[in-house]
Amino acid sequence: MRAVVYEGPRQVSVTTVPDARIERHTDVLVRVTTSNICGSDLHMYEGRTSFAPGRVLGHENLGEVVEIGDAVDRVKVGDMVCMPFNISCGFCANCERGLTAFCLTTNPEPGLAGAAYGYADMGPYNGGQAELLRVPYGDFNCLILPEDAHERQTDYVMLADVWPTGWHATMLACVQPGDTVVVYGAGPVGLMAAYSAVLRNASGVMVIDHHPDRLAKAEQIGAIAIDDSRSCPVEEVLELTQGMGADRGCECVGFQAHDPEGAERPNMTLNNLVKSVKFTGNISVVGLFVPHDPGGGDTLSKWGKVAIDYGTFWSKGQTMSTGQCNVKNYNRQLCALIHEAGARPSWIVSHELDLDDAPGAYQHFDAREQGWTKVVLHPTKAG
């Protein structure tokens, strides 16, 4: 099969690799028709992780079931399915509590919890930027999609990661109707967090970034765009909230946050959130932070550490919640919002491309070039 393979820092290729296949009786084999490039793929693309050359990328996947293992009961050949980026068993102590991002059985590496497709340190599983994808524990990990899935793949594929993660940000931040919400980062996850806050009836949503095209996307859903290259974002948020600060805040950037001048500052968004959110407010952190960063600019960064203004955080009595999204907690209800209520998460998509276009797409997306807000690949066509 053809697949997008990591070759080294800023080098991916589309090449032929052994076909994905059924390996266990509980597996499902999917012909991938839609697979997103995620912002977190760029950390591996840039060589900032331990992702090994030769591995297949892609953890936001949707497609058609073409084969099932003997023990698969619910999923049928021909179903259109979307897979959470989390690979989880469904029966361990964490999965039983809904913590599928921290499955205790699917990552064979000692001391680690949680697995994913085509992702560093999250198990040996290949990704879905390929013609075929093996889905372990298929009955548990496949979300069977409604009958309009063929026509609305760019909406439903967002259920694999980016929209549930944005929704997760608002859940961790305890967003309630009428709240004011500030979102740092207008990348795909930040835009999905803003969209989720709007759907949860926030009274005002402010989005901080310095990429004009991404801020324009935020304005399309009624969010207030704040360009941190033009003014101090903390001062802007305080002015918009009568000096009190936002009720809730969402960090959707992660350890590769850059200031408007282009310098990498891993702690920038965390500290700005502490300043931007009110006393006793809630902060969620869904932007990716890693335990080790070989490309970090200083000693702290190389060991996954950041300098947080903890004194201010403590004195303001704020609450911070973090962690990867447990996609299965949200994907079914978000699927219903698409199918029954007219939600359109595909509004963030800027490019739909063939698999062969992946190397160039990675290059453009990684450079944050104007207009490259979310890239969707189509490895095959549904039958």
Side-chain angles (χ1 to χ4, degrees):
M1 66 178 185
R2 293 162 59 252
V4 179
V5 172
Y6 175 73
E7 294 185 339
R10 291 188 166 87
Q11 293 184 11
V12 299
S13 64
V14 179
T15 189
T16 300
V17 301
D19 283 350
R21 58 184 179 84
I22 299 289
E23 297 180 18
R24 302 178 66 178
H25 295 300
T26 50
D27 289 349
V28 163
L29 189 65
V30 173
R31 180 169 64 243
V32 182
T33 57
T34 304
S35 182
N36 296 341
I37 299 178
C38 179
S40 57
D41 288 330
L42 299 180
H43 303 304
M44 293 173 285
Y45 176 73
E46 294 173 5
R48 300 292 288 267
T49 69
S50 59
F51 201 63
R55 291 193 61 187
V56 179
L57 290 155
H59 60 270
E60 298 187 22
N61 306 307
L62 176 151
E64 182 178 359
V65 176
V66 293
E67 187 178 351
I68 60 175
D70 294 340
V72 174
D73 180 65
R74 183 179 62 90
V75 177
K76 308 298 182 187
V77 171
D79 284 343
M80 291 293 289
V81 294
C82 183
M83 283 63 66
F85 78 90
N86 322 117
I87 301 174
S88 44
C89 67
F91 54 76
C92 73
N94 280 352
C95 285
E96 286 180 350
R97 295 168 56 207
L99 303 174
T100 54
F102 305 92
C103 177
L104 297 171
T105 69
T106 48
N107 193 332
E109 188 68 27
L112 293 180
Y117 304 98
Y119 208 91
D121 300 320
M122 299 195 73
Y125 309 96
N126 270 333
Q129 291 171 14
E131 293 176 319
L132 294 169
L133 178 68
R134 172 192 168 229
V135 181
Y137 300 109
D139 272 336
F140 188 70
N141 287 308
C142 290
L143 176 68
I144 300 173
L145 299 172
E147 60 274 9
D148 59 349
H150 285 83
E151 295 75 34
R152 300 189 59 191
Q153 293 186 45
T154 53
D155 283 318
Y156 287 115
V157 73
M158 301 303 162
L159 300 174
D161 178 1
V162 63
W163 192 14
T165 295
W167 193 271
H168 186 56
T170 64
M171 292 292 287
L172 291 179
C174 303
V175 173
Q176 301 294 318
D179 282 343
T180 54
V181 181
V182 58
V183 178
Y184 275 83
V189 170
L191 290 172
M192 286 290 97
Y195 188 46
S196 300
V198 169
L199 291 175
R200 293 168 67 84
N201 293 314
S203 62
V205 180
M206 297 157 281
V207 179
I208 318 295
D209 208 302
H210 47 263
H211 294 280
D213 53 334
R214 297 183 175 193
L215 290 171
K217 285 283 188 184
E219 290 179 324
Q220 289 177 12
I221 57 168
I224 299 169
I226 298 175
D227 187 340
D228 65 356
S229 69
R230 296 177 178 272
S231 60
C232 172
V234 174
E235 293 178 359
E236 291 281 342
V237 172
L238 292 176
E239 183 175 345
L240 289 166
T241 57
Q242 294 74 53
M244 297 296 292
D247 296 306
R248 321 290 175 185
C250 302
E251 201 289 333
C252 299
V253 183
F255 76 108
Q256 285 189 265
H258 287 74
D259 64 24
E261 289 72 41
E264 190 168 290
R265 295 173 55 195
N267 63 345
M268 180 181 69
T269 51
L270 292 172
N271 285 331
N272 280 346
L273 271 168
V274 169
K275 298 171 187 174
S276 300
V277 172
K278 71 177 185 180
F279 281 74
T280 73
N282 295 77
I283 296 170
S284 67
V285 183
V286 298
L288 177 67
F289 288 83
V290 294
H292 305 288
D293 174 20
D298 54 40
T299 302
L300 278 180
S301 299
K302 290 181 186 299
W303 289 99
K305 303 179 189 300
V306 293
I308 299 178
D309 189 355
Y310 190 78
T312 303
F313 171 72
W314 187 93
S315 67
K316 293 180 77 170
Q318 295 170 336
T319 300
M320 184 180 293
S321 301
T322 70
Q324 286 193 325
C325 175
N326 307 296
V327 172
K328 282 182 64 70
N329 282 355
Y330 313 117
N331 65 350
R332 195 174 297 276
Q333 71 179 117
L334 298 182
C335 180
L337 286 178
I338 294 172
H339 184 61
E340 305 290 348
R344 295 290 185 274
S346 60
W347 123 89
I348 66 170
V349 174
S350 59
H351 294 78
E352 291 188 64
L353 305 171
D354 293 333
L355 196 68
D356 288 334
D357 299 318
Y362 266 91
Q363 182 178 359
H364 295 303
F365 191 41
D366 181 57
R368 277 70 170 175
E369 290 184 10
Q370 181 80 12
W372 289 79
T373 55
K374 186 63 173 177
V375 180
V376 173
L377 301 175
H378 294 293
T380 69
K381 297 185 182 301

